[in-house]
Amino acid sequence: MQKHHKISDIGKEQPFKVPGNYFKDLPEQIMEQCQEKEQKRSVVELIKPAISLAAMFIGVALIAYLAIQVIDQPEGKNPYRQEDIAEAEYHDQYYNQNELMEDINGGESTQAEQDSEQTDQYIEYLLNEDIDYTTLINELEEDSRKGKNNQ
Amino acid sequence: MHDYSDKELLEMFKESDFKNFAFKQIIKKYQERLYWHIRKIVITHEDTDDILQNTFIKVWKGLDQFREDSKLYTWLYRIATNESLTFLKQKKKRHYIPFMDVEHHLMNTLESDEYFSGNQIQLKLQKAILTLPEKQRLVFNMKYFDELKYEDMSKILDTSVGALKASYHHAVKKIEKYLKDN
């Protein structure tokens, strides 16, 4: 069997083949694809400015809406009214010792408070019975004298 | 049918009324040369068909910007070559083929290809070409089968004429050694 050691012995013939009519049909196939691409590109180029414009309008409208919301906020809906802030500051400032003690004692009233309440009751009784301060002193002095005499 | 020159076709392509006609003529003129060029790189008809169609679609998109200071066919070859090499890279990634095994994979494809019509010695030559590194393989095919000038190959592959000559010389030596040893 003869051996081929030189490339030139083999020749340049194509050892491959193609399906029948391949080169006849190919130009038409490629042209169809090119037309499709062209149409897609045309549609995109046509609607691109409209989409850009719409996006710009939506952006502007959104910014305007947010700006109006901030500027035109109704007072009742504002969670940070000046009065609320002032009240909060007042409470912070006057959170006094008694309130602190009350909190520590779990809300039980102190002796001083009980005395104060009793005094208020006495004054109210005297007012209701129309007993003035002088009458009361005189009566108390008379009672005191009677007591001494009895002793 | 009148054979239009590249210059005539490019001028017609610029006029909207003749754009489609001119492009169809360009396809008809170059489809076979580009097909065989791609086929020798990727071996199977199916892959060649995909790459050739993609090549012409890219040409369609870019022909408006084509600078006429270079020849149309060198520009077409360049696009076809890049498309083929990109395809091989993607194939490696897609099928997890190790870099050195691509040619081995193509050899197996060659043997089972229903559109391979060569005899045993032609099959052996194709196998020998597939043992070459990618760039040498391209150079050998373009010089030996397509009979391109080194100057044109230089423009297509972005390589100096001297480097191409050396590359072709090494490729021939390796192929002859393969033919002798196998």
Side-chain angles (χ1 to χ4, degrees):
Chain A
M1 191 181 131
Q2 195 196 344
K3 285 206 167 185
H4 298 270
H5 294 160
K6 290 277 179 195
I7 297 171
S8 53
D9 295 338
I10 300 168
K12 296 182 180 182
E13 209 178 309
Q14 292 289 352
F16 303 103
K17 58 180 182 178
V18 292
N21 287 336
Y22 174 71
F23 290 120
K24 190 171 166 276
D25 300 336
L26 189 65
E28 205 56 53
Q29 271 184 49
I30 293 171
M31 286 310 295
E32 277 174 23
Q33 288 189 58
C34 291
Q35 296 302 327
E36 274 177 34
K37 299 265 177 195
E38 191 78 358
Q39 278 174 351
K40 276 183 192 169
R41 198 163 62 174
S42 306
V43 170
V44 170
E45 277 170 14
L46 199 74
I47 61 171
K48 209 173 169 181
I51 291 170
S52 306
L53 203 66
M56 200 179 74
F57 273 122
I58 290 168
V60 170
L62 196 69
I63 292 165
Y65 175 76
L66 291 173
I68 289 166
Q69 286 293 305
V70 171
I71 294 163
D72 209 24
Q73 181 84 34
E75 228 175 79
K77 287 183 181 175
N78 193 340
Y80 301 112
R81 284 184 311 151
Q82 287 238 313
E83 291 88 328
D84 296 335
I85 296 164
E87 195 180 327
E89 282 174 352
Y90 175 83
H91 282 299
D92 277 352
Q93 199 176 347
Y94 296 103
Y95 190 78
N96 57 32
Q97 201 177 357
N98 285 341
E99 284 169 325
L100 186 65
M101 289 306 292
E102 195 179 323
D103 285 349
I104 292 166
N105 294 329
E108 283 174 20
S109 56
T110 58
Q111 186 60 46
E113 258 183 36
Q114 282 174 6
D115 291 346
S116 171
E117 272 176 31
Q118 215 166 15
T119 309
D120 288 345
Q121 281 171 7
Y122 290 146
I123 292 165
E124 201 176 343
Y125 168 77
L126 292 172
L127 287 171
N128 288 340
E129 293 301 319
D130 200 22
I131 302 167
D132 67 0
Y133 183 72
T134 318
T135 315
L136 189 64
I137 296 293
N138 290 339
E139 279 184 11
L140 283 170
E141 280 176 354
E142 201 176 326
D143 284 350
S144 175
R145 270 199 303 277
K146 277 178 187 174
K148 280 179 185 174
N149 291 337
N150 289 338
Q151 280 176 0
Chain B
M1 192 187 81
H2 172 65
D3 284 331
Y4 296 96
S5 68
D6 287 353
K7 200 172 178 229
E8 284 174 319
L9 290 170
L10 289 170
E11 277 168 13
M12 275 198 278
F13 187 81
K14 284 175 192 163
E15 292 174 41
S16 57
D17 289 347
F18 297 104
K19 189 175 179 173
N20 288 353
F21 173 79
F23 194 68
K24 205 169 175 179
Q25 297 308 310
I26 291 171
I27 298 171
K28 282 181 181 174
K29 191 172 179 180
Y30 288 107
Q31 61 177 352
E32 288 198 43
R33 288 172 75 178
L34 292 181
Y35 176 89
W36 294 118
H37 173 62
I38 298 167
R39 180 79 184 262
K40 285 193 285 289
I41 301 171
V42 300
I43 304 299
T44 70
H45 166 72
E46 288 74 19
D47 292 342
T48 307
D49 181 39
D50 287 344
I51 296 165
L52 185 61
Q53 293 198 27
N54 287 340
T55 300
F56 276 117
I57 290 166
K58 287 208 169 166
V59 172
W60 168 265
K61 285 180 188 168
L63 202 55
D64 288 323
Q65 281 83 47
F66 173 67
R67 281 168 33 216
E68 290 170 44
D69 51 358
S70 64
K71 289 177 190 166
L72 179 62
Y73 86 88
T74 57
W75 186 62
L76 296 177
Y77 256 85
R78 197 181 165 102
I79 296 173
T81 307
N82 289 340
E83 284 292 304
S84 305
L85 296 178
T86 305
F87 171 84
L88 286 183
K89 274 182 200 156
Q90 285 170 348
K91 194 170 186 172
K92 278 176 215 167
K93 277 187 192 168
R94 209 168 40 236
H95 298 288
Y96 303 104
I97 304 167
F99 182 75
M100 297 302 285
D101 283 353
V102 180
E103 279 72 25
H104 184 73
H105 176 79
L106 289 175
M107 259 190 228
N108 291 336
T109 310
L110 187 67
E111 284 179 331
S112 59
D113 187 6
E114 61 170 315
Y115 293 113
F116 185 83
S117 59
N119 56 29
Q120 282 303 305
I121 190 63
Q122 284 173 323
L123 178 66
K124 206 157 120 181
L125 174 61
Q126 288 302 320
K127 281 185 176 180
I129 295 168
L130 285 172
T131 62
L132 301 173
E134 198 170 73
K135 191 76 179 279
Q136 270 183 22
R137 194 155 71 90
L138 276 173
V139 172
F140 180 81
N141 281 330
M142 289 165 93
K143 186 68 198 162
Y144 185 74
F145 289 107
D146 301 345
E147 297 179 340
L148 289 177
K149 291 177 188 164
Y150 280 118
E151 287 72 22
D152 290 339
M153 285 167 65
S154 171
K155 283 173 191 158
I156 295 163
L157 299 173
D158 242 346
T159 311
S160 70
V161 171
L164 291 172
K165 283 180 180 174
S167 200
Y168 182 70
H169 175 77
H170 288 303
V172 171
K173 290 284 168 202
K174 282 182 191 172
I175 289 167
E176 287 185 342
K177 188 177 183 304
Y178 181 91
L179 294 175
K180 194 178 172 185
D181 295 345
N182 292 275

